[in-house]
Amino acid sequence: MGVSLTTSSTGVHIITWNVGSATPPDDMTSLLGLNVGDGNTDMYIIGLQEVNSMINKRLKDVLFTDQWSEVCMERLSPFGYVLVTSQRMQGLLLLVFAKYFHLPFLRGVQTETTRTGLGGYWGNKGGVSARMSVFGHTICFLNCHLPAHMENSEQRMEDFESILQQQQFEGQAATGVLDHDVVFWFGDLNFRIDDLDMQVVKSAIDNNKFSIMWEKDQLNLAKDSETVLEGFQEGPLKFPPTYKFDIGTNTYDTSGKKRKPAWTDRILWRLRATAPAGAAVDAGKRSSISGLTSGTKVTQHSYRSHMEYIVSDHKPVSSIFTLQFPYKVDIPLVTLIVADEWNSVADATAKFKLAPNYSRSSWDWIGLYKVGFKHHKDYVGYVQGLAVPVHIRASTVDVAVRAAATVAAAVAPAALHKPKRRSSVSLMVLHPAPHQQLSASPQCVQQRAAAARHLLLLRKTNTWRTQECDALLVTGHIANCCVFYLIHSLYCMFSRNEKVQFMMPSFSGTAIWFVQRAYFALSCFIKLCTL
């Protein structure tokens, strides 16, 4: 959505779903609203519970991208959405997406996790959150999975209070969850319907008399008595209870347990309470005054379930909001200047200027991204620091500056053309497809072998000199980097160009040590073979 000079209007689409360890469905178009999208959604917030966290599956998700994140990125990236941040705690997963051109205005991104299972030692229950400043206003998204069963209503409230107390963020603007201008609380909150027996509940569902159940809903009842819920709002429950279904059907539980249907999956929001001007507020108590003196307004446009998804015993729930607030931020921290068209390597220069309030950090870097990139780690290459103009050469790309927890700047895609002549600075990019799996399939082996044969052929046909470059950039997973380290060694040995640099995206310390040792061993072997 466009941003005016006086107010910012931000569309937020929130989804919560207990997926019951299921794999993602083939089509999530309707859940994401992509089939009826009007272009007004600026951010997608996806909270999942009970994502498969078996040991073998969890280890695979650590090494690669988990299936749910991958599917969401695949569906949203073609529409210009980028994964801003994600947080996983066993079965709990929180994903935050935003439109590409909003990234410079999302700042101070932080995440937190709180375990409440087994007395706080196990993460099957608890909460994961992501907070950030959106156009200068603080927002926190909290995805929770609270204790199950009818009799545990008080335990659910105790766990929620524990999550709020334990989750503290760095910085003075908003240290706790409730200190943010706007809080969205959602997840499998597990609140049930009191007093009414199964037949009464099912009859009310069949006759669309949901108000009978509203009055007995544990969460609605708790709002009148629990101080911690003060200020939280929720839209009307005009859809059938979302729990519990026989998997693969729209039929409520027919097993021996015969769980009573309930609205366990909920989405609520809260505006930060502020005291009237001049009023003294007890530091130990939160003010009961609702609303914001800064004029923030939250409008809910829809609140619904999605009955067509049958892979879990829960139905997903979504809600679409518009956030309106006075516009505080209209200038990016870093302004990047890139030519619209590059006809030579000399044109491929990204220049930048810093805002007066921008504080440089040794963690700052300028990244090069393919058009349609999925997340901030999906870069083709990067240059550490913001010191000098950066010369780059690659296929059609986006350019962005990345600072700690902030995308400080972003520019539109640059149309690149083949250079007419060689310049003094060039870059050879060798990288596998994004998120390529670590496999030894015949196709992967053939591709790697072909790359090595190509380099050797250049040497034998005396055309190597025309193919020399000043830096060899490798991106991808560790195994691919090991293979390309070998290619780089061949490159250096046969070209006799010791100045050629090898650049690689950062991995963990252990991964870097492993790759460096492999590179050293391969280099020694090649030197022995070429003496």
Side-chain angles (χ1 to χ4, degrees), residues 116-332:
T116 59
L118 296 179
Y121 290 99
W122 195 243
N124 64 320
K125 295 292 191 293
V128 295
S129 64
R131 62 87 54 203
M132 64 200 69
S133 170
V134 180
F135 298 109
H137 296 264
T138 57
I139 300 179
C140 185
F141 303 100
L142 176 60
N143 173 26
C144 290
H145 192 183
L146 301 181
H149 306 308
M150 179 74 70
E151 65 275 12
N152 286 331
S153 180
E154 290 187 6
Q155 184 62 50
R156 286 188 272 276
M157 291 310 311
E158 290 177 7
D159 281 12
F160 180 50
E161 288 192 69
S162 178
I163 291 168
L164 294 179
Q165 291 172 1
Q166 293 184 46
Q167 297 209 353
Q168 298 294 318
F169 303 95
E170 297 179 2
Q172 299 178 352
T175 56
V177 172
L178 299 184
D179 296 320
H180 291 77
D181 292 340
V182 185
V183 176
F184 288 99
W185 175 39
F186 49 92
D188 180 359
L189 307 185
N190 255 323
F191 289 100
R192 308 303 172 97
I193 297 173
D194 278 336
D195 300 335
L196 304 179
D197 62 32
M198 177 73 80
Q199 294 304 319
V200 173
V201 170
K202 286 193 172 182
S203 175
I205 294 171
D206 293 339
N207 293 286
N208 290 324
K209 295 182 178 181
F210 300 138
S211 59
I212 296 175
M213 298 181 288
W214 292 345
E215 298 171 358
K216 299 298 181 179
D217 175 74
Q218 291 178 341
L219 181 55
N220 283 333
L221 294 172
K223 289 178 184 177
D224 297 329
S225 58
E226 298 289 343
T227 304
V228 72
L229 294 180
E230 187 176 359
F232 277 99
Q233 303 177 58
E234 183 181 19
L237 298 167
K238 294 183 179 180
F239 51 88
T242 54
Y243 172 87
K244 170 180 174 143
F245 292 86
D246 293 338
I247 295 176
T249 74
N250 284 324
T251 303
Y252 286 103
D253 188 18
T254 60
S255 70
K257 294 182 178 180
K258 289 186 170 56
R259 301 287 190 195
K260 189 178 3 176
W263 286 292
T264 58
D265 310 282
R266 313 285 278 269
I267 300 173
L268 296 88
W269 73 95
R270 179 185 187 274
L271 295 175
R272 178 172 54 86
T274 56
V281 180
D282 186 346
K285 299 180 180 179
R286 295 190 179 275
S287 170
S288 61
I289 305 298
S290 62
L292 278 170
T293 56
S294 61
T296 298
K297 180 181 179 181
V298 177
T299 304
Q300 185 180 50
H301 300 287
S302 70
Y303 189 29
R304 54 164 297 197
S305 64
H306 298 261
M307 297 293 289
E308 65 270 30
Y309 292 95
I310 57 176
V311 298
S312 167
D313 57 353
H314 290 249
K315 299 299 181 183
V317 172
S318 69
S319 185
I320 298 175
F321 299 89
T322 295
L323 277 61
Q324 292 178 305
F325 33 63
Y327 198 51
K328 287 186 177 181
V329 176
D330 59 352
I331 300 176

Side-chain angles (χ1 to χ4, degrees), residues 334-340 342 347-354 366 389-390 392 399 401 409-412 414:
V334 179
T335 301
L336 280 168
I337 304 169
V338 180
D340 292 336
W342 297 347
D347 297 331
T349 302
K351 298 180 181 179
F352 59 86
K353 62 179 180 179
L354 306 178
I366 295 179
V390 181
I392 46 183
V399 182
V401 174
V411 298

Side-chain angles (χ1 to χ4, degrees), residues 506-523:
S506 58
F507 294 106
S508 67
T510 303
I512 292 175
W513 179 90
F514 172 77
V515 175
Q516 287 176 338
R517 298 287 78 76
Y519 178 42
F520 178 75
L522 290 170
S523 298

